[in-house]
Amino acid sequence: MKVSQRISSIPMSGIRKMFDLAGPNSINLGLGEPDLDPPKEAIEGMNRAASAGRNKYGPTAGIMDLRNAVADRYSKYGKVTGENVMITPSGSSALLEIAETIVNPGDEVMVPSPGFVIYGPHAQLCGGKSVEYRLTEGDFQPDIDDIQSQITPKTKMIVVNTPSNPTGGVLTEASKKALLDIARDKDVVILSDEVYDSFIYEGKHVSFIDSLDHAIVSGGFSKMMAVTGWRMGFLFAGEDVMPDLIKMQYHVCASPNMPAQYGLLDALPGIDPYLESARKTYKARRDLISKRISEIPGMDMIPPKGAFYAFPSFDLEMSSAELANELVKSDLICTPGSAFGKYGEGHLRFSYAASEEKISKGMDILAKVMARLR
């Protein structure tokens, strides 16, 4: 059976490729999946809703109580109401729905490099073209000069990710202002993926929620509450474009998961103590992996300020894919930097959403392999 050119032209995720090579006893630092338990309120609330019969179709944009609760939580970043919120079946689907709503065939979408693996393919699935823009070395801010040099009349959207996957970089106020100046001057849309906003260890979260005249913001519950399998996210948009986003979501899923929405609604108002504990756990893991990597000859890394990824560089005369393959042969799974764009080469991504024991064992393997290859 012949499949469409649009899907055959999209490569398999470089994150997933590594798992095919892994042995059963491998240390998995490749997948960004929290190993924490979800808030008990979320599980109990979902089970209670399902038992009460809330298992039917719901509103396409999500139940209004949850939309209002999300707006209340995020109103610290800008004046929003539940009408500015749509509940989505995962943060990933939110990103695709935004792209499908905004991007026309032939449009160009600027994506960060290194950046998460789905931004470029989403542009291509819409018939558009992805254009990689560079992140600066060290602090991983959008290179404004590089963006300005590549903007054309076909540029429709600039994708931003803060905190960043894979770098752990956190956007500054200066970078946000420069991006908004470009968006307003060139009349392009900023798509800001802020799914890791709950996990910042230095500095503060800089959001585009206060700029919905030229931005759409994507977020999610999966990482926030460690419910990746529930596939629940949300987005913020201006009232001018929200009806079209809701229309797109109807054709994607009709409506998001009903019992899960009630579980999230029960957990969200009291989520802060849970998140404080999670941040403390991840920060300790970040400090551990940063210390261990800095002690390995040939590896270099500045501790990430957010998310739960380490993105060190290495000085070997080999590609990141070759080094990742050497590590997986020694039972350590990570992701080559090249999976995240051309400017990711020369790096590896390690997730520290894993126990300190696994991190320590993984870094032991990394040290041995690096010593052998050098």
Side-chain angles (χ1 to χ4, degrees):
M1 181 181 296
K2 288 187 175 181
V3 300
S4 69
Q5 189 275 334
R6 78 172 62 86
I7 194 63
S8 62
S9 67
I10 302 297
M12 180 61 71
S13 164
I15 299 173
R16 293 286 175 176
K17 284 180 181 178
M18 301 309 299
F19 297 105
D20 295 336
L21 303 173
N25 299 315
S26 294
I27 302 296
N28 186 353
L29 301 182
L31 194 61
E33 182 168 50
D35 65 337
L36 308 180
D37 291 328
K40 68 180 188 322
E41 295 86 354
I43 295 174
E44 292 170 356
M46 180 179 68
N47 290 340
R48 192 162 47 246
S51 296
R54 288 172 164 163
N55 303 298
K56 307 300 183 183
Y57 289 127
T60 297
I63 59 173
M64 202 67 225
D65 284 349
L66 182 56
R67 294 171 69 188
N68 287 333
V70 172
D72 287 345
R73 177 168 184 80
Y74 285 86
S75 61
K76 58 189 173 183
Y77 299 122
K79 187 177 179 181
V80 287
T81 71
E83 298 295 332
N84 297 115
V85 178
M86 182 168 77
I87 308 302
T88 63
S90 82
S92 299
S93 64
L95 294 169
L96 180 59
E97 289 171 13
I98 294 166
E100 291 281 7
T101 302
I102 299 298
V103 179
N104 286 313
D107 285 345
E108 294 178 353
V109 177
M110 304 196 74
V111 301
S113 180
F116 189 49
V117 297
I118 64 176
Y119 303 140
H122 281 182
Q124 293 172 246
L125 288 170
C126 298
K129 174 187 176 184
S130 63
V131 178
E132 296 184 27
Y133 69 83
R134 183 172 51 236
L135 300 184
T136 58
E137 287 291 332
D139 59 354
F140 296 113
Q141 295 298 303
D143 187 323
I144 301 301
D145 290 339
D146 190 46
I147 291 173
Q148 289 176 324
S149 72
Q150 296 193 81
I151 282 187
T152 75
K154 294 183 178 181
T155 304
K156 188 66 172 292
M157 191 159 70
I158 301 172
V159 180
V160 182
N161 180 207
T162 182
S164 165
N165 176 8
T167 71
V170 173
L171 195 75
T172 65
E173 288 281 4
S175 292
K176 173 187 172 180
K177 181 182 184 303
L179 288 165
L180 282 173
D181 286 345
I182 292 172
R184 288 166 177 154
D185 182 53
K186 301 295 184 181
D187 193 25
V188 300
V189 176
I190 290 176
L191 167 50
S192 185
D193 180 359
E194 302 179 14
V195 73
Y196 295 99
D197 71 285
S198 298
F199 305 115
I200 293 182
Y201 316 109
E202 274 93 37
K204 65 176 184 176
H205 180 57
V206 174
S207 177
F208 285 87
I209 287 174
D210 63 353
S211 306
L212 297 183
D213 58 332
H214 271 86
I216 302 174
V217 176
S218 174
F221 301 103
S222 293
K223 315 290 175 151
M224 179 197 301
M225 298 191 192
V227 289
T228 51
W230 291 17
R231 312 312 300 133
M232 297 297 294
F234 54 88
L235 61 80
F236 289 90
E239 294 179 8
D240 58 333
V241 71
M242 183 60 82
D244 294 297
L245 288 162
I246 295 172
K247 185 198 306 183
M248 177 57 66
Q249 176 144 295
Y250 173 79
H251 291 287
V252 170
C253 70
S255 62
N257 181 318
M258 281 291 280
Q261 288 184 77
Y262 284 99
L264 297 168
L265 179 60
D266 281 0
L268 194 59
I271 196 65
D272 283 335
Y274 174 87
L275 291 177
E276 278 185 36
S277 176
R279 276 191 296 271
K280 183 178 179 181
T281 297
Y282 291 137
K283 185 177 184 298
R285 295 172 178 181
R286 181 205 68 164
D287 293 345
L288 172 62
I289 199 169
S290 298
K291 178 178 183 294
R292 291 296 308 273
I293 288 175
S294 68
E295 294 170 346
I296 298 173
M299 304 292 297
D300 185 59
M301 187 186 77
I302 297 173
K305 293 182 178 180
F308 34 68
Y309 304 103
F311 198 63
S313 60
F314 59 88
D315 66 359
L316 300 175
E317 293 295 324
M318 63 192 324
S319 70
S320 58
E322 290 169 332
L323 178 52
N325 283 330
E326 289 295 322
L327 290 169
V328 81
K329 289 175 187 176
S330 296
D331 290 330
L332 173 59
I333 304 173
C334 66
T335 310
S338 58
F340 304 101
K342 62 185 177 182
Y343 295 114
E345 187 53 86
H347 294 257
L348 297 173
R349 190 196 76 168
F350 297 95
S351 167
Y352 52 89
S355 69
E356 291 190 18
E357 179 185 8
K358 287 185 178 180
I359 291 170
S360 293
K361 288 181 178 178
M363 294 304 97
D364 289 343
I365 294 171
L366 177 62
K368 289 178 182 177
V369 171
M370 286 295 293
R372 172 171 59 82
L373 294 175
R374 295 181 91 233

